């Protein structure tokens, strides 16, 4: 079959393209911006890429168009598809019907930690010899790729609550039909499509409704919002982590910890990952792996070799004693968690936080009042951008002289370089490329 993918260069749709190619289909695709590294990865798979959405692409005459949720009405190629009544489907639906229905699906849902937990779970199954397929919203360093299809019965997927497509406003994850589902946490996000927390809770309950009676939910026992969702009804077995069945205990200065199941020790995780949030992620992954037959001791052993995802506290370089990190944090809760993990790692060293609030939720200003509190552990804060409808400088004002806001990237870089001194930790947080600021900072430090 020839599949043409609209919006192919996003992480999710690019992963679908790779999986479709590995399944033996001819795959072509288009996007508004076709550039590395995704374009390189796709072309290496033999996938032809086209820049833009010229309606002349219908001359390719594919058997099916697969539509990413970046595509809207008014897109010239989409309009041509509709006008000619050509066959089309969303990415999540295609994946669910053509790949996942043949698999034991392990899905990882939640506002935070999905990518990391999905990567942990895929690595545990790989270490145990399960050779799982997977689709992750990032690049797990243990694999170096974001997606693969194997002949294994098991498939691990990051289960996103964002909507499926312009013609299907359900969350992506309702298409995946997991047998094992992790519910990591739940709070308000995606203000561009959800009016309130209750609307997101409804989508999470739709996911719960798709898990079979013989399936299992692995649920954060500390999360009151998830507890409220479960009160709507649950038809599968439940195991809780953080409180209840699975617990972390005796946390060491090196972030190692004991894993307890029903108060019985299962082993000690010794790894290179920091933070309480990652302890919870690990407990969830270990519990989910146990549901498919991986003994906790084997899962714990696997965690010793786990390498976190790119852009999760990733060290981009150290110059003259100053370290620059890249992190995907963009929601206030994630920003606070990331800063907390770094503070525990570096102690009294100064942290210079560089933030770009560019997610759709942050652009709307829904959480601007939470920003100062989330940045409290930083010694200096540098905000960048002009989010629509609100003043970033005013939002950061409660931090006083510690915070500055910029609309010029070079000016921001210059301010950070003037302030930075040996021993400082520069933490860059954005869910985008941030204009290549990481390398700009490293180059400027080297030239200083």
């Amino acid at each position: 079959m020839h599949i043409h993918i609209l919006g192919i260069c996003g992480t999710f749709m690019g992963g679908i393209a790779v999986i479709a190619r590995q399944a033996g289909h001819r795959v072509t695709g288009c996007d508004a911006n076709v550039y590395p590294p995704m374009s390189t990865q796709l072309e290496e798979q033999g996938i032809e890429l086209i820049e833009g959405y010229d309606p002349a692409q219908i001359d390719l005459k594919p058997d099916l168009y697969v539509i990413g949720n970046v595509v809207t009405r008014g897109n010239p190629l989409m309009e041509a598809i509709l006008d000619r009544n050509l066959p089309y489907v969303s990415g999540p639906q295609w994946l669910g019907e053509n790949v996942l229905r043949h698999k034991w699906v392990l899905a990882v849902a939640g506002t935070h930690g999905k990518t990391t937990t999905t990567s942990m779970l895929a690595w545990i199954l790989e270490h145990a010899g399960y050779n799982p397929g997977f689709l992750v919203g990032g690049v797990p360093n243990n694999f170096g790729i974001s997606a693969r299809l194997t002949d294994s019965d098991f498939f691990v997927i990051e289960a996103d609550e964002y909507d499926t497509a312009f013609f299907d406003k359900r969350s992506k994850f309702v298409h995946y039909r997991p047998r094992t589902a992790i519910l990591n946490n739940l709070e308000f996000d995606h203000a561009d499509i959800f009016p309130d927390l209750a609307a997101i809770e409804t989508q999470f309950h739709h996911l719960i409704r798709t898990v079979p009676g013989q399936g299992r939910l692995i649920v954060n026992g500390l999360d009151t919002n998830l507890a409220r969702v479960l009160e709507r009804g649950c038809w599968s077995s439940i195991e809780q982590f953080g409180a209840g069945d699975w617990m972390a205990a005796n946390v060491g200065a090196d972030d190692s910890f004991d894993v307890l199941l029903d108060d019985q020790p299962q082993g000690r995780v010794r790894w290179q990952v920091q933070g309480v949030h990652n302890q919870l992620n690990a407990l969830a992954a270990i519990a989910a792996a146990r549901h498919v037959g991986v003994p906790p001791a084997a899962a714990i052993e696997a965690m010793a070799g786990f390498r976190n995802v790119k852009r999760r506290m990733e060290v981009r370089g150290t110059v003259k004693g100053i370290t620059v990190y890249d992190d995907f944090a963009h929601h206030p809760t994630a920003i606070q968690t990331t800063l907390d993990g770094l503070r525990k790692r570096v102690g009294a060293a100064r942290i210079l936080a560089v933030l770009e609030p560019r997610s759709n939720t942050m652009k709307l200003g829904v959480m601007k009042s939470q920003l100062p509190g989330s940045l409290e552990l930083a010694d200096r804060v540098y905000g960048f951008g002009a989010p629509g409808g609100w003043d970033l400088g005013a939002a950061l004002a409660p931090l006083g002289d510690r915070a500055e806001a910029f609309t010029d990237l070079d000016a921001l870089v210059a301010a950070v370089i003037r302030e930075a001194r040996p021993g400082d930790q520069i933490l860059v947080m954005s869910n985008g490329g941030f204009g290549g600021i990481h390398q700009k900072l490293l180059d400027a430090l080297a030239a200083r």
Side-chain angles (χ1 to χ4, degrees):
M1 175 181 283
H2 176 193
I3 296 169
H4 191 61
I5 299 178
L6 280 66
I8 194 171
C9 284
T11 305
F12 176 77
M13 295 303 289
I16 285 183
V18 169
I19 287 169
R21 186 76 184 90
Q22 292 174 349
H25 300 295
R26 179 192 172 196
V27 181
T28 56
C30 60
D31 211 316
N33 297 295
V34 176
Y35 53 83
M38 182 57 76
S39 62
T40 304
Q41 292 179 31
L42 294 175
E43 286 167 348
E44 287 174 350
Q45 294 283 334
I47 296 169
E48 178 188 346
L49 303 178
I50 301 170
E51 181 110 23
Y53 294 100
D54 191 323
Q57 291 176 47
I58 62 171
D59 293 339
L60 292 170
K61 297 182 179 177
D63 300 291
L64 181 67
Y65 294 90
V66 178
I67 313 301
N69 73 351
V70 69
V71 176
T72 61
R73 286 302 306 264
N75 177 295
L77 177 55
M78 191 69 233
E79 293 301 317
I81 292 168
L82 292 170
D83 287 342
R84 291 160 177 78
N85 198 27
L86 299 173
Y88 66 91
V89 69
S90 71
Q93 184 175 344
W94 181 86
L95 185 68
E97 292 178 351
N98 293 276
V99 176
L100 300 184
R101 72 184 182 91
H102 305 296
K103 306 287 187 181
W104 181 314
V105 176
L106 300 96
V108 181
T111 308
H112 310 294
K114 291 187 294 292
T115 301
T116 298
T117 308
T118 306
S119 302
M120 287 180 181
L121 181 52
W123 173 243
I124 289 170
L125 298 191
E126 177 78 0
H127 185 270
Y130 282 49
N131 189 35
F134 57 80
L135 176 53
V136 186
V139 181
N141 281 314
N142 287 102
F143 297 99
I145 51 176
S146 62
R148 77 176 186 191
L149 181 64
T150 70
D151 59 3
S152 168
D153 291 333
F154 301 97
F155 196 100
V156 183
I157 188 166
E158 180 171 334
D160 186 8
E161 70 272 24
Y162 209 77
D163 59 3
T164 295
F166 76 85
F167 50 87
D168 183 352
K169 307 314 286 183
R170 295 173 296 170
S171 292
K172 291 188 184 79
F173 54 40
V174 301
H175 294 281
Y176 301 156
R177 308 296 171 85
R179 185 166 291 271
T180 308
I182 292 174
L183 305 183
N184 232 5
N185 41 63
L186 176 57
E187 63 178 309
F188 185 61
D189 197 5
H190 306 308
D192 52 321
I193 61 169
F194 292 119
D196 50 34
L197 177 60
I200 307 177
E201 290 178 356
T202 295
Q203 293 296 325
F204 270 71
H205 196 245
H206 289 166
L207 172 62
I208 288 171
R209 288 171 179 269
T210 68
V211 180
Q214 295 179 340
R216 180 169 298 166
L217 297 172
I218 311 295
V219 182
N220 185 337
L222 302 171
D223 195 299
T224 56
N225 295 331
L226 288 175
R228 190 164 53 248
V229 173
L230 290 172
E231 287 173 357
R232 296 190 183 192
C234 179
W235 300 267
S236 314
S237 65
I238 299 173
E239 288 187 356
Q240 293 186 319
F241 62 93
D245 306 291
W246 295 87
M247 302 282 288
N250 305 316
V251 179
D254 60 353
D255 283 288
S256 63
F257 63 95
D258 292 335
V259 175
L260 306 182
L261 172 58
D262 298 328
D263 294 324
Q264 299 300 309
Q266 305 296 312
R268 188 167 185 83
V269 171
R270 302 181 188 277
W271 60 352
Q272 302 178 28
V273 183
Q274 290 79 36
V276 173
H277 61 297
N278 278 318
Q279 293 167 20
L280 293 171
N281 293 340
L283 290 175
I286 292 166
R290 177 172 172 263
H291 189 221
V292 297
V294 179
I300 290 166
E301 179 184 279
M303 297 313 296
F306 176 67
R307 303 292 177 263
N308 211 340
V309 187
K310 289 184 181 296
R311 306 206 63 205
R312 271 44 173 202
M313 285 298 296
E314 180 181 3
V315 175
R316 293 293 297 269
T318 301
V319 176
K320 299 177 181 177
I322 301 167
T323 301
V324 176
Y325 301 86
D326 179 21
D327 197 90
F328 194 71
H330 53 278
H331 184 289
T333 298
I335 292 167
Q336 183 174 1
T337 299
T338 300
L339 275 166
D340 181 64
L342 182 57
R343 175 58 70 203
K344 287 176 179 174
R345 180 194 299 183
V346 303
R350 293 201 315 164
I351 298 175
L352 280 58
V354 183
L355 172 73
E356 181 188 29
R358 68 175 293 280
S359 71
N360 289 331
T361 298
M362 293 307 295
K363 285 178 181 177
L364 291 170
V366 175
M367 297 180 179
K368 63 182 180 182
S369 64
Q370 299 178 37
L371 274 179
S374 71
L375 293 158
E376 193 61 42
L377 289 174
D379 296 279
R380 295 283 297 172
V381 175
Y382 303 84
F384 176 73
W390 61 283
D391 185 332
L392 179 57
L396 296 176
L399 294 170
D401 293 341
R402 288 192 291 153
E404 297 179 75
F406 298 82
T407 56
D408 180 273
L409 190 62
D410 291 335
L412 184 155
V413 170
V416 175
I417 297 303
R418 281 195 303 270
E419 179 68 26
R421 57 182 188 244
D424 283 354
Q425 315 289 310
I426 301 175
L427 173 60
V428 179
M429 294 176 283
S430 172
N431 69 341
F434 208 155
I437 191 174
H438 316 84
Q439 196 58 48
K440 289 178 185 289
L441 288 166
L442 291 168
D443 290 345
L445 287 169
R448 191 169 67 169

